[in-house]
Amino acid sequence: NFPNLTNLNGSSVLVSGGPTAAFPGVASYINTTTLNNQTRTLQASGAGRTLDLRNVQTITNGLSYYAQLDVNAMSGGVVDLRGLTQISDPTGGDTRGRAIDLTADGSGSTLNVSSLTTYTDVYAGATSSDPLYSTVTAKNSGAIRSGALTTLQGVHVVLNGTGTLGLAGIQA
């Protein structure tokens, strides 16, 4: 546990060797990128592994070309972002090719974004030569808890028939 850490901006956190990494002092995450084509990852992989970011309320992507943020619950891992209300791709900087991807892949894999109401990608679907969409993917019996989600803009939803994803609140 890291109770005194309050800033993870621009960091990757991968939980696979220990049972839990908890960051109770972190209230937001900004994918601060300094160069083009940088990817950051927040991930828990393996049964009994948890990345606890329950107090994060907002996630904001970086401003660089092809800034990428991957949030993954894999192979039975759990990513707890229960306090998250907004995921956004800012309008500033070079918006081309940027994406924030949420994935739950594998039996027992859970991505808890149960308070998330708004998930937006400002550049998605652009008609330039490098369009890229943010994605939310639940597959291979993975689960994304997203029951509060009402606004999904520029985000591809990917289901392979075995994952679960709460989209009942989405308004057309």
Side-chain angles (χ1 to χ4, degrees), residues 51 53-54 56 71 73 77-84 102-104 109-116 143-147:
L51 175 55
L53 295 167
R54 71 179 66 204
V56 170
V71 182
V78 174
V79 176
D80 186 351
L81 283 161
R82 72 179 81 174
L84 182 66
L102 305 181
T103 303
S109 300
T110 303
L111 178 51
N112 184 353
V113 289
S114 56
S115 297
L116 180 64
I144 298 180
R145 295 184 186 156
S146 56

Side-chain angles (χ1 to χ4, degrees), residues 74-135:
M74 311 291 283
S75 304
V78 174
V79 176
D80 186 351
L81 283 161
R82 72 179 81 174
L84 182 66
T85 60
Q86 180 179 355
I87 296 174
S88 63
D89 185 32
T91 57
D94 189 342
T95 60
R96 296 174 300 151
R98 298 188 317 210
I100 298 174
D101 298 324
L102 305 181
T103 303
D105 184 357
S107 181
S109 300
T110 303
L111 178 51
N112 184 353
V113 289
S114 56
S115 297
L116 180 64
T117 59
T118 305
Y119 185 1
T120 60
D121 182 334
V122 298
Y123 191 74
T127 57
S128 73
S129 62
D130 55 359
L132 185 65
Y133 291 85
S134 290
T135 61

Side-chain angles (χ1 to χ4, degrees), residues 21-107:
F23 300 89
V26 177
S28 65
Y29 180 88
I30 301 171
N31 185 18
T32 53
T33 54
T34 55
L35 301 170
N36 295 333
N37 298 304
Q38 289 185 316
T39 299
R40 305 288 194 257
T41 304
L42 303 174
Q43 178 174 297
S45 180
R49 308 301 188 247
T50 301
L51 175 55
D52 185 347
L53 295 167
R54 71 179 66 204
N55 294 323
V56 170
Q57 297 173 11
T58 59
I59 291 177
T60 306
N61 204 6
L63 298 174
S64 300
Y65 175 73
Y66 269 83
Q68 177 82 27
L69 176 62
D70 297 331
V71 182
N72 305 319
M74 311 291 283
S75 304
V78 174
V79 176
D80 186 351
L81 283 161
R82 72 179 81 174
L84 182 66
T85 60
Q86 180 179 355
I87 296 174
S88 63
D89 185 32
T91 57
D94 189 342
T95 60
R96 296 174 300 151
R98 298 188 317 210
I100 298 174
D101 298 324
L102 305 181
T103 303
D105 184 357
S107 181

